[in-house]
Amino acid sequence: MEERPVVPTHLGIIMDGNGRWAQKRSLPRTAGHLEGLKALKKVIKEASNQGIGFVTFYVFSTENWKRSKQEVSYLMGLLVSKLHGELAFYNKYNIRILFRGDIATLPKEVATVINNTISATAANTGITCILAINYGGQDEICRAVNRFLEEKPERNITCKDICSHLDLPEVPPVDMIVRSANERRLSNFLLWDSAYAELEFYEKLWPDWNFEDVQRICTDFAKRVRKFGGVQ
Ligand code: IPE
Ligand code: IPE
Ligand code: MG
């Protein structure tokens, strides 16, 4: 039997370049976000075909609140309408949706649709699509430490304690983080989990991503030699 190449168990994607995509076409930045959602659907479908178990998409960072009120409210509105409107898509492709980030402080209607989406896709057994919303790696570590302190204020915290108090402790750490739009930074994404993640940066703007970009990620990942501090 033909052996399948190794793919990341957990892939993290920093979806960047929506604004530039729109700007190049003299469209409002919001048009780039809408097109970016179409790319997300193609990418998760191909990730599932490739046998990837988990994909975390960076949707909205704790720093993105600095953007104009109009852009922020467009993004929040898009979340509310599309999370609900795309349920048939997730269920058709057996995709389970989870969220990572400070969901409790989001506008109430966004938090509600998030909780509904988790329940409506909980029985799906295929790929897990994790949407990082109001997410910051530093913020997640702080919240994990505070959760721990509430439980066990009497003893020192360990790395294992932090792992078990992150937003999704059951999800394995990210194996590879990729970013679109030719920016080479993490921008506060998955800081704890990225300790030994492979990194790759691609030029293509996020709304232009398609099936072949996932195939390229898998090819790039298969070439990496991971040592985790040891000797190969
Ligand atoms: C990524 O695209 C989407 C979000 C951060 C919400 P950008 O909106 O950052 O696009 P550029 O970087 O301005 O092109
Ligand atoms: C990172 O992109 C956040 C998301 C993709 C949601 P940004 O466009 O906000 O990052 P910076 O500001 O260029 O570092
Ligand atoms: Mg950007």
Side-chain angles (χ1 to χ4, degrees), residues 14-16 58-61 64 67 179 183 185 187:
I14 304 174
M15 306 181 286
D16 202 10
Y58 204 3
V59 176
F60 191 89
S61 75
N64 286 147
R67 297 188 178 201
R179 182 167 186 152
E183 305 291 353
R185 53 179 172 266
S187 301

Side-chain angles (χ1 to χ4, degrees), residues 46 50 176 178-179 200-204 209-223:
E46 183 57 22
Q50 293 287 333
M176 182 163 194
V178 301
R179 182 167 186 152
E200 194 65 75
F201 304 95
Y202 300 103
E203 279 192 20
K204 213 190 246 190
W209 277 44
N210 207 325
F211 304 113
E212 70 268 13
D213 297 289
V214 181
Q215 291 156 6
R216 186 170 51 160
I217 290 168
C218 292
T219 307
D220 288 343
F221 182 76
K223 290 184 205 145

